[in-house]
Amino acid sequence: MSGKSESSVSSVSSESDPESHTGAPDEPHGPTPESYDVFRDPWGIPHLRASDELELARAQGRVTAFDRAWQLEVERHRAEGSSASFLGPDSVVWDRFARQSRLADTARLCYEAMEADDPATSAWVRAYVDGVNEGMAAGAARDERFARTGLAPSPWEPWVPLAIWVATHILFAGFPTKLWRERVARALGEETLTLFATDGPRIAGSNGWMVPGDRTTTGAAIIAGDPHRFIEDPGVYQQIRLSCPEYDVLGLAVPGVPGLAHFGHTGSAAWAITNAMSDYQDLYVERLRRGGDGAAVEALSPDGVWEPVARHTETIAVAGGDDVEVEILETARGPVIVHADGDPGAGAATDAAPDTATGADSRTGTGTGTAGSADGSTWTLSLRYPPRVRRDLGFAALPALLRARTVADIDRALDGWAEPVNVVHAADTEGGLLHRVAGAVPLRHDTNRLRPVPAWEPEHAWQGWAPTPAEPVQGFAVMANARGIASPLGVEFAPPHRADRIRELLSGSADWSPKAMADVHRDTYLASAEPLLALLPGFEELTPAAQELRTRLLAWDRRMEAGSTDATLFSALRTATVRRLAADPVFADLAGAPAGPAVFHPWLHLVPKIGYALEGLLTSSLVPELDRAAHVRAALEETAAANSPDTPWAEVHRLTPWQAVPDPDAPEWPGLGGDHDCVNATSSVPGFTDLTARASAARYVWDLARREDSLWAVPLGADGVTGTPHHRDQLPLWARCELVPVVTDWTRLTKESI
């Protein structure tokens, strides 16, 4: 694939040239003005060279559309709340949420602000969109899913990349957990508010580690890690290289978004992120009333007066079903994402005092009447999130990161970062190291971070923005969503097991090389198994089968290896324990099917909540009436009687990626090692399924000594089109935690044209 010039590259040089270590792109650059060229490495990964950064952004958009047209259009429609128009009724749930939370409108507002305040960045984003529009027709012609669903691509507006970004990350901070905590407090008491803290699970997490030069074979730093997300087909990260006279950067892009937001290597500097697990989105219980004509809606303000609520209706077109009309409301706090019984005036038709009319406790916003359901099903709830408040997604950081030559450049770029909130590692060839948090977290009342709060109480208003912590790097630095540098900004974090295990592994050597980092990626030690196994020795009068199983599990090495039969038996015991705990009468008020919008249900089911919080539930002194030992003993007997002792873990622990349109001819997805608390974080849902839908969405190793010695891998491949040579060619390697070499020598690349 090429831009306007086919013959503009006459010669290229390898990155082994000393110039490459200054951060400057390889010479000569070749492309003539207003041109770009596309090369591929043996894995089909695109390497782009252009005459300037705008032309390069255009090339990135065009190549991404050619490779991943279907994925781009699915993500665009999801951001706009129109995916049901070709995916059918099952997508209405998401589309309704996307519209009610005003994702596309937020993107428009942010882009308009960018145009006014930062025209250079807005022009860069627009150039990317121009490329998408240029490449979409050819990309769609490659993919039969367009014809199968009747989807015809339509031109992108300049704000669409921002919409994809906000839609991708709107649930990152897990604000529905606040509904779950409310439900728990009502069922079990205020003291149990965080009983089910895992700390976890979230939509996303990550591992990341940085080893300074005094612990590497080369004398320069190495940054490595892997973002954990739901695995999708096509993959959520795109390996790519972007080169122009201003810079030469390789890394992992989010398809539909220009630049390399999360993971990149400029030659002289590199960066990587993990989810900071910060709490930066709030749910407000709104007191609304509707006028006599039904159209005018008002909300009770913190000043005690009724203020107008913005209102309009939108229609979701549904393939194979009836159109769905959605009422869109927005208060001064934010968009209304839950309507009380579907009616914004339910339980709030008068201007009586809030406590009387809603049954809500004025301190917490919790309620005892119909307008205060513990799961939000009969509450009216608005969502306040930083991009909509600030009219800023932090996109100015994206081109600044591409230009970075040093850690100081990366640090400055990330000062303007907004969404989502991340922990960052960065290093450069001068020995600079960076460990910081980046993103926008509001300052507000502590209760806001725990549960829905009453919109009419002034103390719950936002009061500016929290400072983002930074720490000096002493020894190696590890980030794995656990408590640490971001602790002041969050409530629940990941258990410490992954972070502790990575530190333990890194401590075992002072001579780390990029290739050795694969051993860290593939580690399957499951420290969180200990509290469950620790109960087994105390059981007496077991059946012979249960005694044998106990002996076997106590001798197990705690490794969730793909071929381990003991790992399978442990998972069966864990599943039986979780299900028995969930059936205990103490949890009866939490056991029912969730109410309210279905998009929040993954946070509101009892069995997964117990499964992920099992370690804490087994050791907590809360809920003393729960006979934990009795449940584990019964689960041991059940497991011994019902399970084969010879089933390898990978036989039941298989990858199940999300596909917008399932591929009827897809081969069987591979079995995997690892588990949710392993460094090789292939997440099952304990108590619900051994299958894994969430795992490493990419793996990377950035070598600051020689960028060409860096490594990376994605779960599938570079091409988003099913059946093409590079659609799934990295899958077998990824399943074994192997990485492929980064190719930087232009002479080893193949030029493409269309």
Side-chain angles (χ1 to χ4, degrees), residues 287 289 306 348-354 357:
R287 176 84 167 93
R289 67 181 184 182
W306 293 95
T350 74
D351 55 3

Side-chain angles (χ1 to χ4, degrees), residues 96-158:
R96 184 192 302 274
F97 169 70
R99 290 172 184 254
Q100 289 180 330
S101 56
R102 315 228 56 202
L103 303 184
D105 186 65
T106 298
R108 292 187 193 98
L109 293 173
C110 290
Y111 187 80
E112 290 171 2
M114 187 196 306
E115 278 192 305
D117 301 333
D118 186 3
T121 300
S122 68
W124 180 73
V125 173
R126 191 183 308 112
Y128 179 88
V129 170
D130 288 343
V132 169
N133 288 332
E134 292 171 9
M136 186 62 74
R142 301 176 64 227
D143 202 314
E144 57 84 23
R145 287 170 289 192
F146 284 92
R148 195 183 346 158
T149 60
L151 175 62
S154 55
W156 281 28
E157 297 292 332

Side-chain angles (χ1 to χ4, degrees), residues 715-735:
L716 299 178
D719 200 329
V721 179
T722 302
T724 56
H726 297 300
H727 179 55
R728 293 182 182 164
D729 56 340
Q730 294 182 51
L731 179 60
L733 298 173
W734 173 86

Side-chain angles (χ1 to χ4, degrees), residues 199-548:
D199 290 340
R202 293 291 186 98
I203 283 292
S206 301
N207 295 322
W209 58 94
M210 180 165 61
V211 182
D214 60 358
R215 290 174 175 264
T216 69
T217 59
T218 64
I222 296 173
I223 298 176
D226 57 316
H228 306 152
R229 298 197 181 199
F230 285 103
I231 303 302
E232 300 181 10
D233 181 7
V236 300
Y237 280 112
Q238 171 195 30
Q239 299 152 299
I240 198 167
R241 182 182 182 186
L242 306 172
S243 180
C244 65
E246 290 77 17
Y247 48 76
D248 181 349
V249 190
L250 58 85
L252 299 166
V254 174
V257 178
L260 303 167
H262 288 158
F263 310 96
H265 196 325
T266 71
S268 64
W271 70 92
I273 61 94
T274 64
N275 186 347
M277 309 296 277
S278 298
D279 183 86
Y280 52 90
Q281 301 164 324
D282 283 349
L283 291 175
Y284 287 90
V285 182
E286 296 284 356
R287 176 84 167 93
L288 303 185
R289 67 181 184 182
R290 192 184 291 273
D293 61 359
V297 181
E298 295 178 317
L300 187 64
S301 76
D303 298 326
V305 300
W306 293 95
E307 57 190 10
V309 173
R311 176 191 178 275
H312 70 277
T313 59
E314 297 181 7
T315 300
I316 300 173
V318 183
D322 296 332
D323 290 352
V324 176
E325 187 174 272
V326 180
E327 184 176 47
I328 310 298
L329 301 174
E330 185 164 9
T331 73
R333 270 66 58 196
V336 171
I337 59 171
V338 178
H339 290 191
D341 295 329
D343 178 356
T350 74
D351 55 3
D355 296 11
T356 303
T358 67
D361 181 291
S362 62
R363 176 180 59 81
T364 66
T366 61
T368 56
T370 58
S373 171
D375 59 10
S377 60
T378 55
W379 270 342
T380 294
L381 297 173
S382 62
L383 173 66
R384 189 166 181 81
Y385 59 102
R388 190 151 187 86
V389 174
R390 293 159 55 103
R391 304 294 194 260
D392 178 31
L393 276 171
F395 264 44
L398 301 183
L401 285 170
L402 296 177
R403 302 185 198 108
R405 297 291 191 270
T406 67
V407 156
D409 295 336
I410 294 170
D411 197 18
R412 282 191 296 269
L414 293 175
D415 282 341
W417 190 247
E419 167 89 0
V421 181
N422 295 321
V423 177
V424 181
H425 282 166
D428 61 33
T429 54
E430 299 175 2
L433 302 172
L434 177 68
H435 182 44
R436 65 164 293 180
V437 176
V441 179
L443 294 168
R444 73 278 205 215
H445 196 285
D446 284 345
T447 308
N448 291 42
R449 300 178 3 166
L450 292 171
R451 64 208 308 177
V453 294
W456 54 85
E457 293 190 351
E459 61 263 36
H460 296 296
W462 288 9
Q463 303 292 336
W465 304 95
T468 51
E471 292 181 352
V473 177
Q474 298 177 343
F476 41 76
V478 176
M479 49 185 186
N481 319 117
R483 292 185 183 275
I485 188 173
S487 292
L489 305 178
V491 177
E492 295 183 21
F493 294 80
H497 306 306
R498 287 185 285 116
D500 289 348
R501 182 62 174 167
I502 293 169
R503 290 189 186 98
E504 179 183 353
L505 293 169
L506 293 179
S507 298
S509 174
D511 295 305
W512 286 98
S513 67
K515 290 184 178 179
M517 290 300 176
D519 290 334
V520 180
H521 281 293
R522 68 170 59 96
D523 188 79
T524 63
Y525 185 76
L526 187 68
S528 63
E530 182 58 29
L532 178 56
L533 297 177
L535 293 172
L536 302 188
F539 300 148
E540 298 179 354
E541 299 181 1
L542 295 171
T543 63
Q547 291 181 35
E548 181 180 349

